[in-house]
Amino acid sequence: MAGIRSLSSGLRALRPVAFGADPEGERMARIRRSPHFKDGVFQNPGGEARTRPSGSMTAFAKVFFDKESRPRRAPSGTIPLHTTTLADIASPPATGLRLTWAGHSSVLAEIDGQRVLFDPVWGERCSPFPFAGPKRLHPVPVALAALGPVDVVVISHDHYDHLDLPTIKALAGTDTLFAVPLGVGAHLERWGVPADRLRELDWHETTKVGGLSLTATPARHFCGRGLRNTQHTLWASWVVAGAEHRIFHSGDTGYFDGFRDIGSAHGPFDATMIQIGAYSDFWPDIHMTPEEGVRAHLDLQGGDPAAGVLLPIHWGTFNLATHPWAEPGEGTMQAAHKAGVTMASPRPGQPFEPADSPPTTPWWRPVALAPSEGWSAWPAVESDPEQALVGE
């Protein structure tokens, strides 16, 4: 038995640190007690979700390597950033709520006197290796240290484009707390986050940070960082509620009816941050299209298109699917307009207050290859990139 334990310890020592750690001990016991854990894995709401590309690999490769569509999967010019400065975020938001999208799913939310950082990814690649994997299409708009103190970091799940080792290690040296789904704390502890700074939640559980309530809510996705996906860490969307404001962050998720239940229990929201990128017909169960993202926003708002602001996330920073680079932003803008929903379209790094005329310029058009049918006539946008950004 001692030899087996020694071999097991040796294998763990060889595991790349970026893979994190598997839950064990009391953490694993708590996972097994979860009503959402069955047959050795966490279960998705709405039934089983396909987590691997459906169809043949030949069909997927044909789409992925298509010479005509590949150029559209990256910007044709330099992505315009708002280089966030301390002056942008030093003063409290006048309305009590300010959001700064840093790209992909990373958002700094200043809400009712507290500062919440969702899914911070400041690394160059969303990969366990520094030399391979999807690379940033734009620099980070603000240095992590320049954000100032953060009260709580919220993680949606443990995929590399949401849970970034160098970012977490940098934040581990601060006083911030971490709110994570059940099991994800094992990764953070391996990377130096003390156990007393972790708030590890199952779906429908709530923790308090300052004057905020943070609730882990269901999502339709999956987990895994290593070569072996054990499905032993949970994935979640998040509700953050203060004395005056409520916000929702979807994490990664396919569309499901549970958005209505989340909205009924916790909404309506002043702002929703909704995943609308990296979708594909090859994995329709685990990521939403722009149209589904707008539908989810409406579900969360009780069907009221006038309620709150939709901030599209999970797009623009990494190339993770076969759709054109600008399609998530453009598609969500058109779907939101059709539904009467207010969509914010800040450039990465551009702070805005949802209650105070959020930015709406389609900044991606000047730096993207236009679709074959051309850009929609709505809204009218100047062709000169500098002119397109005037007034923001």
Side-chain angles (χ1 to χ4, degrees):
M1 292 300 292
I4 293 174
R5 285 196 298 271
S6 177
L7 176 61
S8 177
S9 298
L11 290 174
R12 280 198 298 270
L14 292 173
R15 178 186 177 117
V17 67
F19 282 9
D22 291 329
E24 56 186 22
E26 176 51 35
R27 177 175 278 119
M28 192 64 218
R30 186 181 169 203
I31 287 169
R32 291 193 179 101
R33 292 194 298 268
S34 169
H36 311 110
F37 191 79
K38 182 181 178 183
D39 299 328
V41 295
F42 278 111
Q43 304 291 317
N44 264 303
E48 186 178 356
R50 290 163 288 177
T51 61
R52 303 293 183 201
S54 59
S56 71
M57 289 307 298
T58 301
F60 178 75
K62 184 178 180 180
V63 174
F64 187 82
F65 292 108
D66 180 70
K67 292 183 179 179
E68 290 188 8
S69 63
R70 285 194 75 184
R72 298 188 185 279
R73 299 210 295 268
S76 59
T78 301
I79 295 175
L81 305 179
H82 178 95
T83 305
T84 316
T85 65
L86 185 59
D88 288 323
I89 53 178
S91 300
T95 62
L97 175 63
R98 180 166 57 212
L99 303 178
T100 304
W101 179 52
H104 202 57
S105 296
S106 303
V107 182
L108 174 67
E110 299 167 88
I111 172 172
D112 295 344
Q114 302 287 303
R115 306 178 93 236
V116 182
L117 185 58
F118 292 96
D119 283 358
V121 174
W122 260 250
E124 188 64 18
R125 294 181 186 271
C126 48
S127 164
F129 309 109
F131 53 83
K135 189 176 182 180
R136 282 186 165 274
L137 300 174
H138 65 79
V140 291
V142 56
L144 192 61
L147 286 179
V150 173
D151 294 293
V152 57
V153 172
V154 175
I155 303 296
S156 64
H157 63 296
D158 69 0
H159 285 160
Y160 289 96
D161 58 322
H162 297 259
L163 182 62
D164 179 56
L165 168 61
T167 305
I168 296 300
K169 292 190 82 167
L171 290 165
T174 70
D175 294 329
T176 188
L177 300 175
F178 292 81
V180 302
L182 198 56
V184 174
H187 300 313
L188 273 63
E189 283 195 55
R190 188 183 184 199
W191 299 338
V193 177
D196 63 1
R197 283 170 47 202
L198 288 172
R199 306 291 185 267
E200 203 162 342
L201 306 184
D202 200 349
W203 291 340
H204 309 300
E205 291 183 341
T206 299
T207 189
K208 299 281 189 179
V209 175
L212 300 179
S213 295
L214 295 88
T215 304
T217 45
R220 190 163 161 78
H221 200 56
F222 67 113
C223 64
R225 294 181 71 84
L227 299 177
R228 183 172 60 95
N229 184 3
T230 62
Q231 293 288 81
H232 285 173
T233 63
L234 188 58
W235 48 95
S237 56
W238 287 88
V239 170
V240 177
E244 301 293 335
H245 295 89
R246 292 173 175 266
I247 56 178
F248 174 84
H249 189 284
S250 71
D252 277 3
T253 181
Y255 178 80
F256 68 115
D257 290 342
F259 289 118
R260 297 192 191 97
D261 298 329
I262 295 170
S264 177
H266 302 283
F269 300 96
D270 299 278
T272 66
M273 296 157 272
I274 303 287
Q275 170 264 307
I276 49 83
Y279 49 84
S280 173
D281 290 340
F282 289 99
W283 50 82
D285 300 333
I286 56 172
H287 282 143
M288 290 190 290
T289 65
E291 293 77 14
E292 288 172 328
V294 172
R295 185 178 171 190
H297 169 85
L298 285 169
D299 286 353
L300 290 160
Q301 305 290 29
D304 182 2
V309 171
L310 164 63
L311 172 62
I313 59 172
H314 201 263
W315 78 285
T317 302
F318 299 104
N319 187 346
L320 302 176
T322 58
H323 58 64
W325 170 73
E327 188 176 274
E330 184 74 16
T332 307
M333 180 182 69
Q334 300 298 334
H337 177 62
K338 183 177 180 180
V341 167
T342 299
M343 170 186 141
S345 57
R347 305 190 304 283
Q350 181 180 6
F352 73 96
E353 300 192 28
D356 185 23
S357 300
T360 57
T361 294
W363 53 265
W364 53 86
R365 286 186 179 181
V367 294
L369 293 174
S372 57
E373 68 275 14
W375 298 115
S376 167
W378 182 93
V381 179
E382 298 287 344
S383 59
D384 181 345
E386 294 297 322
Q387 290 296 319
L389 301 178
V390 167
E392 291 196 17

